[in-house]
Amino acid sequence: MTARTDWQAWHEPYADEGSPLSRRLRLVRREIAAWLDERPGERLTAVSVCAGQGHDLVGVLAGRADAHRVRATLLEYDAGNVTAARDAAGRAALTNVAVERADAGRLSSYAGAVPADLVLLAGVFGNVTDHDVRRTVAALPQLCAAGATVIWTRTRRAPDLTPALRGWLRDAGFVERAFHAPEGVLFAVGVHRFAGTPRPLDASGELFTFVR
């Protein structure tokens, strides 16, 4: 990970409900809730990559009576954001949510948390090189349980990588469920279902390094 960005200050636009970041958050939360509703009564696992302060996953679980059926691991490197996410989970009494201070760019950080039924990649692909985006997508079968859902975000700022990214996901065994590209903003939110065969975790591998 790098220290170029103040990742706690990065979260400040969430306070403005009309900001692009807040709009993106609402879309991601909607897709997380849909994933839960599609699998009623099941015991599920989730992992959030570079989870920040947990606004998306913790925010959804905090408002649901069935949150107890989800065992979630949030991986975050910034110590201040880890504290904020833990505090949020604690206030919501989400005892099945673990917030780990770890480098999510290393596959060793996922030991014990995967395979997961939901892999959340919000705010990741816009902060790493295109090579690392493709490397991460190729490694997703190591993180996913059979039939898992992956929710991801990425800017559409030129040159727009999202067409290639959607193709890489298809090549890695994923079926697109939704792709949101709202007018007037540059973000996109994608939802894919894993239709391939899960692979064992190679804890020696790497996924990405933040460049911003």
Side-chain angles (χ1 to χ4, degrees):
M1 305 294 286
T2 69
R4 298 179 187 178
T5 300
D6 183 338
W7 290 109
Q8 294 173 59
W10 182 90
H11 285 72
E12 291 175 359
Y14 282 126
D16 177 3
E17 292 189 358
S19 71
L21 198 60
S22 290
R23 291 178 63 185
R24 191 186 78 177
L25 175 63
R26 288 193 290 272
L27 269 174
V28 171
R29 283 179 170 176
R30 189 178 79 188
E31 292 295 348
I32 294 171
W35 165 72
L36 284 164
D37 292 342
E38 288 171 0
R39 303 182 67 164
E42 293 185 51
R43 294 284 179 177
L44 299 167
T45 57
V47 63
S48 180
V49 181
C50 300
Q53 297 178 4
H55 290 297
D56 38 33
L57 187 55
V58 172
V60 173
L61 294 177
R64 294 187 65 106
D66 61 350
H68 62 279
R69 66 188 179 95
V70 180
R71 178 176 61 84
T73 301
L74 280 61
L75 301 177
E76 170 59 35
Y77 190 76
D78 182 89
N81 285 338
V82 168
T83 298
R86 285 175 178 167
D87 288 347
R91 288 193 301 271
L94 297 174
T95 57
N96 288 344
V97 173
V99 183
E100 304 290 346
R101 186 171 187 232
D103 183 351
R106 297 181 179 274
L107 281 168
S108 58
S109 298
Y110 297 83
V114 296
D117 299 301
L118 173 69
V119 178
L120 189 57
L121 285 154
V124 177
F125 288 154
N127 295 296
V128 303
T129 65
D130 294 357
H131 169 79
D132 279 0
V133 172
R134 189 167 193 172
R135 178 165 63 165
T136 300
V137 168
L140 280 175
Q142 298 182 51
L143 307 183
C144 290
T149 293
V150 173
I151 301 173
W152 56 272
T153 68
R154 165 75 193 204
T155 181
R156 289 177 286 125
R157 184 178 296 109
D160 183 3
L161 188 69
T162 59
L165 173 51
R166 295 160 77 185
W168 297 337
L169 282 158
R170 182 181 62 248
D171 294 343
F174 290 84
V175 176
E176 187 168 282
R177 298 287 304 276
F179 179 72
H180 304 285
E183 292 185 4
V185 291
L186 291 175
F187 70 77
V189 177
V191 183
H192 281 69
R193 182 180 60 82
F194 183 45
T197 301
R199 298 205 311 264
L201 182 69
D202 175 9
S204 67
E206 294 188 3
L207 299 174
F208 55 77
T209 299
F210 267 33
V211 295
R212 295 179 175 84

